[in-house]
Amino acid sequence: MDIDVDLIRRDLAQLVNIPSTGGSDAEVAAQRWCAATLTGLGLDVDQWRLDLDALRADPDYPGEEVEREEAWGVVGTSGPGTPALILNGHVDVVPPGEPDSWTNSDPWHVREVDDRWFGRGVCDMKGGVIAIIAAARAVSGLELSRPFAVHTVVGEEDGGIGTFGTLRRGHTGDACIIAEPTAGQVVAANAGSLTFRLQVQGRSTHGSMRATGHSAISAFELVHRALAELEDVRNTAPPEPFGMLPWPISVGIVRAGDWASTVPDQLVAEGRYGVMPGETFADAKTVFEKAVQRVAQTDAWLAENPPVVTWPGGHFAAGRLPAGDPFGDQVATAVVAAGQPLPELVGAPYGSDLRQYAAAGVPTVQYGPGDIADAHAVDEAVSIAEVVACATAYAELIIARCT
């Protein structure tokens, strides 16, 4: 199997150099790059502008957490008919933070050190996208009896509108592999997640007279402890294939106060709330809201000034490969054929586009280069060997399903 690492290096450098944070013009530019590259490989490419108004009006709209005025879908297919295999990857990335915190002060330039590539998105998940492209290049001279398809999408990081629009466009297939970073494992199930916002009221006064006011921070501390207790209850006995803490509750943003010597009269906290398989969004929200209501009733201030819970942003449902579906084993066989150890089928605590393909009746798993622990991080990195190994496994899977 001819996987050209020099072409992978070139392609990854070009794609990372496009700073495609969600909602940016560069997100559009990254999709143009993918369309041109897939066309150059001889694939039939469908490149279209997503009708954002129509998608947002759809009752199953997955939500967005960034402002987006333009978005494009890109699908490349190797021939006519329903694809036997879809290979999916997203080109949007999260913001890099302060550039000076990166070793080379430029997160958009791929740096190669000790057989690893560094740069924003190399792990999550432009390394996976480029591995897909390398696999498509490697099989380009083969005679296939069934087609395969490459779906490159936007918006995965903030809800999944790109895959949502791709499926609404009518692009489907018999099975799908998503090149998210999985650290050598095959992810066959995802937890879901919701973004919550809590508004906690206080009463402001001069800091020297704080006893006459009520700090919104102090009020929030009670709510925060209640959320930790709720997390413990919900994660008591997770089912297979999930490990420990598959549906965590995490507060990521806290805003309070506008003056150092003033007791803050309002706190706004935003965070992530894990959703269980089989749990509807409505049921999950009710469990969360009742936990907040219960703790409010234990405190005189909160009882009179109950916290307000809202649900902005993306809605990631849980999803999984159907029990007994052979696709997971077929992916594992392709991984071994690529010279890698037999991977374990696991469940992941984070959401992804897996749930959208699964909901559309497409058996789906994740297998890709990198470790989720490196995703979104400063000095984000991926092993060169992992990118090459995944590209080889994808090519083996294409051969197994399409010849």
Side-chain angles (χ1 to χ4, degrees):
M1 188 67 60
D2 184 19
I3 301 296
D4 192 324
V5 68
D6 289 329
L7 290 178
I8 289 177
R9 180 181 286 107
R10 180 203 68 185
D11 289 347
L12 185 62
Q14 290 179 2
L15 189 55
V16 170
N17 193 236
I18 303 171
S20 51
T21 54
S24 66
D25 291 342
E27 192 181 49
V28 175
Q31 283 291 71
R32 291 195 183 115
W33 184 93
C34 288
T37 301
L38 295 176
T39 299
L41 294 179
L43 300 184
D44 297 324
V45 174
D46 181 18
Q47 182 183 12
W48 74 100
R49 184 166 182 163
L50 299 179
D51 186 340
L52 294 176
D53 290 340
L55 294 174
R56 289 166 181 157
D58 191 298
D60 293 324
Y61 165 62
E64 294 165 273
E65 296 184 15
V66 300
E67 293 185 5
R68 185 177 281 111
E69 296 181 357
E70 182 180 354
W72 288 76
V74 172
V75 170
T77 53
S78 64
T82 300
L85 178 68
I86 297 166
L87 301 102
N88 167 284
H90 69 83
V91 300
D92 59 304
V93 298
V94 299
E98 180 57 46
D100 287 344
S101 63
W102 290 69
T103 298
N104 66 341
S105 299
D106 186 358
W108 308 115
H109 174 76
V110 173
R111 182 169 55 94
E112 185 172 322
V113 179
D114 295 332
D115 298 320
R116 290 171 68 81
W117 284 314
F118 293 80
R120 173 54 85 224
V122 294
C123 174
D124 187 15
M125 60 171 290
K126 291 180 177 180
V129 171
I130 298 307
I132 289 172
I133 290 171
R137 183 182 290 117
V139 303
S140 60
L142 300 180
E143 195 72 35
L144 303 179
S145 59
R146 294 282 309 279
F148 68 89
V150 176
H151 295 186
T152 66
V153 299
V154 300
E156 190 277 342
E157 294 288 2
D158 67 296
I161 195 168
T163 290
F164 184 65
T166 297
L167 290 166
R168 286 295 189 271
R169 179 81 164 177
H171 289 293
T172 186
D174 291 345
C176 176
I177 187 165
I178 300 177
E180 292 279 7
T182 60
Q185 299 173 314
V186 173
V187 172
N190 280 132
S193 67
L194 293 164
T195 299
F196 63 83
R197 178 178 291 138
L198 281 163
Q199 292 178 263
V200 181
Q201 196 66 33
R203 183 171 62 226
S204 63
T205 187
H206 196 283
S208 66
M209 302 293 292
R210 71 169 185 83
T212 64
H214 197 99
S215 170
I217 295 173
S218 298
F220 173 68
E221 287 173 350
L222 297 174
V223 179
H224 197 203
R225 284 199 293 271
L227 295 184
E229 293 169 3
L230 176 63
E231 178 186 74
D232 288 342
V233 170
R234 286 173 62 82
N235 288 273
T236 301
E240 294 292 338
F242 292 97
M244 298 298 293
L245 198 64
W247 13 94
I249 303 173
S250 173
V251 175
I253 298 173
V254 177
R255 302 185 187 93
D258 56 11
W259 195 255
S261 61
T262 298
V263 172
D265 64 351
Q266 187 177 81
L267 179 145
V268 176
E270 297 179 15
R272 181 191 183 280
Y273 173 50
V275 178
M276 303 178 187
E279 184 178 40
T280 67
F281 289 139
D283 288 345
K285 290 176 181 179
T286 296
V287 169
F288 185 97
E289 291 166 0
K290 285 185 175 180
V292 174
Q293 291 168 5
R294 282 195 299 271
V295 71
Q297 292 305 310
T298 67
D299 177 76
W301 174 263
L302 289 176
E304 291 188 6
N305 303 272
V308 176
V309 181
T310 54
W311 302 95
H315 285 51
F316 291 84
R320 66 179 304 152
L321 184 72
D325 192 286
F327 184 55
D329 289 337
Q330 190 173 44
V331 172
T333 299
V335 172
V336 172
Q340 301 305 303
L342 180 68
E344 182 183 4
L345 266 66
V346 301
Y350 53 84
S352 79
D353 281 340
L354 182 153
R355 96 281 188 186
Q356 298 202 65
Y357 287 102
V362 180
T364 303
V365 300
Q366 294 170 199
Y367 176 76
D371 189 319
I372 193 66
D374 289 320
H376 300 195
V378 170
D379 286 338
E380 180 179 348
V382 69
S383 160
I384 297 173
E386 282 188 54
V387 177
V388 174
C390 287
T392 306
Y394 301 153
E396 293 284 357
L397 189 60
I398 292 170
I399 292 169
R401 292 193 63 89
C402 301
T403 58

